[in-house]
Amino acid sequence: MLKQASFLLLIFLFFQTHSFAQSQIGFIENPRQKISLNQSWKFHLGDPDATFYEQKTDDTDWESIHVPHTLELTSLNLDDSPDTKLQETFQRKVGWYRRNIQVADSERKVFLEFEGAHQVTTLWVNGKKVGVHDIGGYTPFHFDITDVIKRGQRNQITLLVDNRKYDHVPPDPGPFDYIKFSGLYRDIYQVETNKVRLPFNWEFLEAGVTFTTPSVDPVNGNATISIKTSLVNDAPIQKELTLVHRLIDKKGEVVLRLAETQTLKSGEIGRFNSVNGIEDNLYLWSTENPYLYRLNTMIYEGDQVLDGVECKVGIRKFEHHPREGFLLNGKPIKLIGMNRHQHYFFIGDAMPDALHYKDMLQLKKLGFNMMRTAHYPHDDAILEACDELGILVYEEAPTWIDIGGEAWFDNLDKAARRMVRNHRNHPSIVIWGGGINHRGYVPRLHYAVKQEDPTRLTASQNSRWTGWQTSGLTDIYGQMVYGPVEWKRHEPMLAMEGRDGIKELAPYLLDPLLTGIIAWTAHDHYSFHPTKLQQYGRIRRVGIMSIFRQPYTETHFYPIELRDEFQLHIASEWEEETNEVIIYSNANEVELLVNGKTIAKATPDFTGMNSAFDHPPFRIPVHEFEAGKLTAKGYVGKQLVAEQSIHTRLKPVGIAIKIDTIGRQFIADGSDIVLAYAHIVDENGMTIADANFEVKFEVQGDASIVGDGANIGANPMATIHGVASVLVKAGTKASDITLTAKAAGLKIGSANLKTVAYNANKNLAQSDEFYDVERLKIDLGSSEQLLQYDWTAWNAKDGEKASQQFDAFGGVEARIEVADADGLLKWLGEMNVMGKYGYAVGEGVLITGKNGGKLSLDLPKGKYRIHTFHHAPRSNTDSMDPNKDQLKTMSAVKLPYAKKIKVQLKNSMNTQSKVVSISEGKMLPEHGVGEGTFSFETNGKQAIVLDFQADGNIWLNALVIERLIK
């Protein structure tokens, strides 16, 4: 088989015969406009019966805010609310939001797009009511405001965002063990399109763009691509429209292009179903290498682009095998991850995208490959982060145990469908919820999501207190494993909730029928749940990290076991009462030193359930304590691979500020937030966990402290485990920021950071540039060769002039010449070489003579790549071969040939050379065919010359020329 890097250019493309200019432009101006409306809103809390939608409303004294926004910030104790799990009163309020938008004087369609708002949203434009969204607070929606706006003018929009209890809006009426926070808490956009447009994915069944891969072959590296698309013709006349999809790789090159033309009457919805594939150089999406392509979709009328959208997609194969568990790209993997609630301390659900990304980045660095969205659809930014980082996702509709009436079920059905439609193109999602959390599968939900997306698995969590169920209708048997479960090893089981930690993880690594465990939870979270696990305020202490995103001690074991890079973490304190030091490391041996003196050497503890792990903890007894510095060094053989030191804690002397900016920028958009920690430290820099202080934060520059002056305990902030956490919010101007922290009797802490400018007018619908790719694939040989589809023949006979004209690129002339006067070109017919694309190198031309030969190409001006392929064929023919009589006259295969050749490309702009080893035989070798690859640019005035030099005869079998069109 050819190596994957070989035949880079032999990917089969479907080219539509239409010759419109835009198909050859790498940066296409998309007439669709998508502008963020997150900035500069006026906000008023309360007064649900007011008439603030009237244009005469004076909002001068209203609060100026930016989105994401919560109706009210909250304390760690949920404002001392007496509510139960029904959340009777907490944040059951309304908020009024007003701002102006500018609409151009055109005939374009105009929409307001919302990623989510809690929980019933009513819109007025210029005082006129447009509509109500009451499906729920966790799914996207939009309003068409085309007929109510004033063209070429500023238009006033008013929103009533209502978070009161509505029995028909799930997860209400409750109960639920999480908090339904409030506000205009996800992104908002102004979207303008032509009247011929691609609809929003959630508008109707199969609306917008749906990307699937009906077949993926990880062994041979190919995939079938299916793209279903709907477009709407709201123009007053009939239109002939061409839909073009481009699949673009990370280099910006189009690897697959699909096109289809239909004629649509006015008011008609066109449905397109394009299928093709990638045969070579396929990059699979996986948890280790989450490769993403761009799917660019555009509508053309003749040469004119009418509309376009783009999303990122991944190609992967997954299945839930009855014996091997979960397979990704044909390989069994354990699904090890966390459930995640979307909220943050003080701000509730109103998290900027950067904090969503940080949550996923932190989970990835801890070694997890799975995340379950508990218990509702999460922000688009979460799915984008999981796509990018390589985290698999189980996503479910908003439920928790209870079942409502028919109107409630209708909305749950709609919410589930919108969830699928909104996120169906994300490669990270492999499981949809097909039931109600805790209760198990619900046929109506399972059938709904299967109708929307039959390509993914369904599951629903069961619990012993609501009655055990097997997977039933759903594809996966999911259970809560806080105690005994009903499981007879009759099918694989996925623990969709369970406790975290070393002991809990071990059984899932040992048993192939235990698909994995998604522990409860990633973070401590707000709840009115009456549990003793609440450690501070109304925050349930059930996460592997605090609500402030700080990992607890045993959490540091996960990356040791689940990641490859060498690490070491001392999981014990070095205090007088310490009688054992626990160390997590993937080193083979650990040396323990106190004040520079070795006190012990140890190997991992593989006893009991620890045998499940590759890297179980080290447990080192302490026989004699000596205060000071404890150092652990990890070794593989004699090589030091990891090291950490801690100290016996002393009295607190100061504050050390740590700001979490890893993997992100701090954007001056008025709503971006960074998380900072003020550690109470001793003179050795050790955090004093039992130190109790109130820390006062101050910020200089265009930024603010979230909750400052709000009387919610945000500033000053009390230390928890020796750390005071703070949220720093960006202003709207790029600025140098200084954060200081003060506490009585301690040295002041200080840290600096910067915000970067935000472009509020950026068109988010505009795609990055790309290169369309036009290919000419030439198969050289005699007229008897067997030509495959999408190849162009170059046939000649021995002794004839070897030149040929090709139509590609507007016209190409190619010539082959020998360098010696007595040299000869000997042309070979089809020889049946085995292997992928063996037909292309199973024949060719043998350039004889001592001084080689050359290939000349007259190419139009542009950027190109050329591949030359060199293989000495040997016959694999048999009695079924219709051309086997050719062997009697094909003496070229008996002639000696050079094992290596030097290929040199020359033109007026550059010279390149490469040494190529000629492959040989009846079958292509594993390492692939001999190949020379060159990238170059030509002015179109001088020929491109490829010199072939070798000590012997030279085989040239095939050429692939690729033109990159920007």
Side-chain angles (χ1 to χ4, degrees):
M1 179 184 296
L2 292 178
K3 59 184 178 181
Q4 193 175 49
S6 297
F7 277 81
L8 174 66
L9 310 179
L10 306 188
I11 300 167
F12 174 72
L13 296 180
F14 171 81
F15 281 97
Q16 181 72 13
T17 55
H18 291 313
S19 175
F20 36 82
Q22 278 81 358
S23 68
Q24 297 184 358
I25 299 175
F27 183 80
I28 299 176
E29 190 67 33
N30 184 0
R32 174 179 287 239
Q33 294 286 315
K34 183 176 183 179
I35 305 297
S36 172
L37 295 180
N38 283 358
Q39 292 185 301
S40 304
W41 290 81
K42 303 292 284 186
F43 168 73
H44 175 83
L45 179 66
D47 298 317
D49 298 322
T51 58
F52 294 146
Y53 51 82
E54 294 178 352
Q55 289 187 277
K56 64 182 180 180
T57 298
D58 183 3
D59 58 15
T60 305
D61 295 331
W62 289 22
E63 182 182 356
S64 296
I65 63 97
H66 304 290
V67 174
H69 180 260
T70 181
L71 295 185
E72 294 179 292
L73 299 174
T74 183
S75 71
L76 298 183
N77 201 41
L78 297 179
D79 304 337
D80 300 319
S81 171
D83 282 2
T84 69
K85 287 192 291 183
L86 294 171
Q87 194 180 328
E88 295 90 346
T89 64
F90 178 73
Q91 296 209 353
R92 295 296 195 173
K93 299 179 180 180
V94 305
W96 291 88
Y97 296 85
R98 289 164 58 91
R99 67 160 287 170
N100 293 323
I101 62 171
Q102 184 72 34
V103 180
D105 188 6
S106 69
E107 296 183 352
R108 292 156 60 80
K109 302 277 290 185
V110 184
F111 305 90
L112 296 182
E113 177 188 345
F114 298 77
E115 290 186 359
H118 281 311
Q119 68 176 338
V120 175
T121 303
T122 307
L123 169 68
W124 293 264
V125 176
N126 298 325
K128 182 176 181 180
K129 185 175 180 179
V130 176
V132 178
H133 170 75
D134 65 349
I135 292 174
Y138 299 98
T139 46
F141 57 97
H142 69 280
F143 293 107
D144 186 342
I145 61 174
T146 303
D147 296 333
V148 295
I149 54 171
K150 298 175 181 178
R151 303 281 180 174
Q153 302 180 36
R154 295 173 68 84
N155 291 262
Q156 193 273 316
I157 59 177
T158 302
L159 297 168
L160 177 63
V161 180
D162 186 348
N163 201 47
R164 292 175 293 180
K165 185 184 286 286
Y166 289 94
D167 287 354
H168 70 289
V169 182
D172 276 333
F176 30 87
D177 72 345
Y178 52 92
I179 303 300
K180 193 156 66 62
F181 285 99
S182 61
L184 201 54
Y185 76 102
R186 290 184 183 170
D187 297 332
I188 310 166
Y189 307 98
Q190 178 179 335
V191 180
E192 298 185 24
T193 73
N194 280 318
K195 291 185 177 180
V196 175
R197 66 182 179 91
L198 292 155
F200 297 96
N201 272 21
W202 54 81
E203 280 193 55
F204 50 83
L205 186 66
E206 296 186 347
V209 178
T210 304
F211 175 91
T212 59
T213 52
S215 64
V216 178
D217 182 355
V219 176
N220 295 300
N222 59 71
T224 303
I225 307 299
S226 171
I227 308 173
K228 294 182 179 180
T229 314
S230 298
L231 60 87
V232 178
N233 180 17
D234 283 334
I237 60 173
Q238 179 172 287
K239 297 273 188 178
E240 184 180 59
L241 304 169
T242 299
L243 185 73
V244 177
H245 300 289
R246 294 177 176 89
L247 196 64
I248 305 166
D249 68 13
K250 285 188 175 182
K251 300 188 296 294
E253 297 177 11
V254 176
V255 299
L256 183 67
R257 182 177 176 277
L258 307 171
E260 182 181 347
T261 299
Q262 291 185 20
T263 299
L264 299 183
K265 298 177 182 178
S266 175
E268 187 176 2
I269 296 175
R271 301 185 186 274
F272 297 74
N273 187 350
S274 302
V275 178
N276 214 295
I278 297 178
E279 295 183 42
D280 294 279
N281 203 39
L282 173 68
Y283 294 98
L284 294 174
W285 186 97
S286 68
T287 54
E288 295 84 14
N289 181 27
Y291 191 95
L292 294 173
Y293 293 90
R294 293 159 50 198
L295 175 60
N296 179 281
T297 300
M298 291 197 171
I299 307 170
Y300 293 86
E301 183 181 24
D303 288 351
Q304 183 183 6
V305 180
L306 300 185
D307 194 19
V309 296
E310 185 171 295
C311 64
K312 292 183 178 179
V313 296
I315 298 171
R316 74 281 184 269
K317 180 179 182 179
F318 62 88
E319 56 185 311
H320 203 234
H321 193 275
R323 292 176 301 280
E324 298 183 70
F326 190 88
L327 305 180
L328 182 63
N329 298 329
K331 299 178 181 178
I333 67 168
K334 287 292 184 180
L335 303 179
I336 308 298
M338 291 290 147
N339 283 264
R340 187 251 187 188
H341 275 305
Q342 69 181 12
H343 59 246
Y344 235 70
F345 62 102
F346 301 145
I347 57 176
D349 287 351
M351 296 170 61
D353 289 350
L355 291 186
H356 288 298
Y357 178 83
K358 289 295 296 185
D359 274 1
M360 295 302 100
L361 179 62
Q362 193 174 28
L363 289 181
K364 186 67 176 182
K365 287 182 177 293
L366 287 169
F368 299 116
N369 61 19
M370 187 75 186
M371 189 272 292
R372 176 170 172 245
T373 68
H375 297 292
Y376 37 78
H378 282 210
D379 195 286
D380 291 352
I382 282 288
L383 279 304
E384 291 165 3
C386 290
D387 291 345
E388 178 184 333
L389 295 169
I391 299 175
L392 299 168
V393 177
Y394 165 78
E395 189 170 32
E396 58 191 1
T399 64
W400 200 79
I401 296 183
D402 266 26
I403 298 174
E406 189 61 28
W408 180 91
F409 241 120
D410 286 344
N411 272 335
L412 181 61
D413 182 286
K414 292 175 184 177
R417 290 178 182 275
R418 289 207 175 199
M419 169 187 75
V420 175
R421 294 173 187 177
N422 187 36
H423 289 156
R424 66 192 174 204
N425 290 331
H426 289 278
S428 56
I429 294 185
V430 292
I431 304 172
W432 298 119
I436 293 177
N437 182 51
H438 289 269
R439 282 188 173 268
Y441 72 84
V442 174
R444 178 173 174 178
L445 281 185
H446 167 80
Y447 295 138
V449 298
K450 282 294 187 181
Q451 182 184 29
E452 297 286 343
D453 179 10
T455 70
R456 286 180 173 87
L457 302 166
T458 58
S460 185
Q461 177 165 269
N462 304 272
S463 63
R464 66 182 189 275
W465 48 84
T466 57
W468 282 304
Q469 298 182 52
T470 60
S471 58
L473 285 173
T474 56
D475 301 303
I476 294 178
Y477 178 32
Q479 270 291 359
M480 303 177 74
V481 291
Y482 300 123
V485 296
E486 178 72 13
W487 185 54
K488 300 175 182 178
R489 299 184 60 79
H490 55 295
E491 60 182 320
M493 184 180 75
L494 174 62
M496 304 184 76
E497 282 189 29
R499 294 184 177 89
D500 61 87
I502 299 173
K503 291 181 180 179
E504 300 293 332
L505 177 60
Y508 294 88
L509 300 181
L510 288 171
D511 192 338
L513 283 182
L514 291 174
T515 302
I517 180 168
I518 313 173
W520 188 264
T521 56
H523 314 106
D524 296 344
H525 63 92
Y526 284 114
S527 176
F528 287 115
H529 200 294
T531 174
K532 295 179 181 179
L533 294 177
Q534 291 171 348
Q535 186 174 4
Y536 34 83
R538 300 305 297 267
I539 296 173
R540 296 187 72 200
R541 168 62 177 90
V542 291
I544 64 167
M545 290 175 273
S546 72
I547 197 171
F548 312 107
R549 275 53 179 177
Q550 289 184 293
Y552 293 116
T553 299
E554 199 165 287
T555 303
H556 295 282
F557 173 75
Y558 284 104
I560 301 298
E561 179 65 22
L562 301 177
R563 300 195 66 181
D564 291 333
E565 63 267 26
F566 288 113
Q567 301 182 57
L568 184 150
H569 178 79
I570 301 174
S572 302
E573 297 181 351
W574 188 236
E575 306 297 334
E576 189 169 358
E577 60 272 17
T578 302
N579 54 31
E580 183 183 53
V581 175
I582 299 173
I583 296 172
Y584 306 142
S585 180
N586 47 10
N588 294 342
E589 184 182 46
V590 164
E591 179 185 15
L592 202 61
L593 303 92
V594 175
N595 298 323
K597 297 179 295 185
T598 300
I599 64 167
K601 292 184 178 180
T603 55
D605 174 17
F606 283 98
T607 60
M609 291 298 288
N610 281 351
S611 63
F613 301 115
D614 293 326
H615 308 288
F618 294 76
R619 309 183 73 93
I620 305 174
V622 176
H623 302 294
E624 185 176 343
F625 173 76
E626 178 185 332
K629 181 180 179 181
L630 177 73
T631 300
K633 296 183 176 182
Y635 293 89
V636 174
K638 295 182 179 181
Q639 183 180 1
L640 177 66
V641 295
E643 180 178 352
Q644 185 189 12
S645 295
I646 63 173
H647 293 79
T648 306
R649 289 184 173 86
L650 304 173
K651 293 181 179 180
V653 296
I655 300 174
I657 295 180
K658 299 178 182 179
I659 303 177
D660 185 6
T661 56
I662 296 173
R664 60 161 297 180
Q665 291 181 314
F666 191 22
I667 310 297
D669 62 358
S671 61
D672 200 7
I673 290 173
V674 296
L675 180 55
Y677 303 101
H679 291 252
I680 309 302
V681 297
D682 64 13
E683 63 184 33
N684 292 316
M686 295 293 294
T687 300
I688 309 304
D690 59 357
N692 295 312
F693 288 84
E694 280 204 340
V695 179
K696 175 66 176 178
F697 294 95
E698 295 179 358
V699 65
Q700 293 179 322
D702 192 19
S704 61
I705 303 297
V706 172
D708 195 9
N711 196 30
I712 58 172
N715 194 24
M717 173 70 179
T719 57
I720 298 173
H721 305 307
V723 181
S725 304
V726 65
L727 299 175
V728 181
K729 179 180 283 191
T732 56
K733 297 179 181 178
S735 174
D736 291 324
I737 309 296
T738 300
L739 177 67
T740 57
K742 303 176 182 179
L746 299 178
K747 184 180 178 180
I748 295 173
S750 179
N752 300 314
L753 69 158
K754 291 183 177 182
T755 53
V756 298
Y758 170 69
N759 181 4
N761 297 315
K762 181 181 179 181
N763 179 15
L764 300 174
Q766 187 62 62
S767 304
D768 292 334
E769 67 177 25
F770 56 82
Y771 292 86
D772 260 330
V773 182
E774 186 178 357
R775 294 177 176 87
L776 171 60
K777 300 192 289 186
I778 303 171
D779 191 354
L780 288 82
S782 73
S783 59
E784 293 86 6
Q785 72 173 342
L786 179 62
L787 190 70
Q788 279 283 6
Y789 66 94
D790 76 333
W791 285 79
T792 300
W794 185 350
N795 300 150
K797 295 181 179 179
D798 297 353
E800 287 186 351
K801 183 179 179 181
S803 65
Q804 188 150 327
Q805 295 279 346
F806 300 96
D807 295 333
F809 318 139
V812 176
E813 183 176 346
R815 300 173 297 279
I816 302 175
E817 303 171 67
V818 295
D820 294 339
D822 57 350
L824 182 67
L825 299 180
K826 295 186 69 64
W827 294 80
L828 177 68
E830 188 260 336
M831 289 291 292
N832 293 329
V833 170
M834 293 177 65
K836 193 174 183 182
Y837 296 110
Y839 57 79
V841 296
E843 68 279 317
V845 60
L846 184 68
I847 304 171
T848 68
K850 294 182 179 180
N851 297 311
K854 65 180 180 180
L855 167 70
S856 301
L857 296 167
D858 294 329
L859 295 168
K861 181 180 179 180
K863 290 185 176 181
Y864 294 85
R865 278 200 302 260
I866 185 169
H867 287 220
T868 63
F869 299 99
H870 309 274
H871 178 79
R874 296 294 179 266
S875 175
N876 247 316
T877 193
D878 57 32
S879 60
M880 296 296 293
D881 185 357
N883 297 318
K884 71 174 186 175
D885 289 340
Q886 296 177 40
L887 298 177
K888 299 174 182 177
T889 58
M890 290 180 183
S891 58
V893 296
K894 298 179 182 180
L895 297 178
Y897 64 91
K899 304 295 184 182
K900 289 188 177 182
I901 61 174
K902 181 180 179 181
V903 185
Q904 188 173 55
L905 180 142
K906 301 177 183 178
N907 72 350
S908 61
M909 304 180 74
N910 58 51
T911 299
Q912 306 171 46
S913 64
K914 181 176 182 178
V915 175
V916 178
S917 296
I918 296 183
S919 52
E920 184 270 340
K922 301 177 181 181
M923 181 177 295
L924 287 170
E926 261 187 61
H927 59 75
V929 69
E931 176 185 341
T933 302
F934 300 93
S935 298
F936 59 92
E937 189 171 354
T938 178
N939 57 18
K941 297 178 181 179
Q942 290 88 26
I944 302 297
V945 177
L946 283 165
D947 272 340
F948 303 107
Q949 301 171 15
D951 186 15
N953 301 325
I954 297 170
W955 277 106
L956 176 62
N957 312 82
L959 304 171
V960 178
I961 307 171
E962 182 181 62
R963 185 181 186 188
L964 279 65
I965 307 166
K966 186 175 179 181

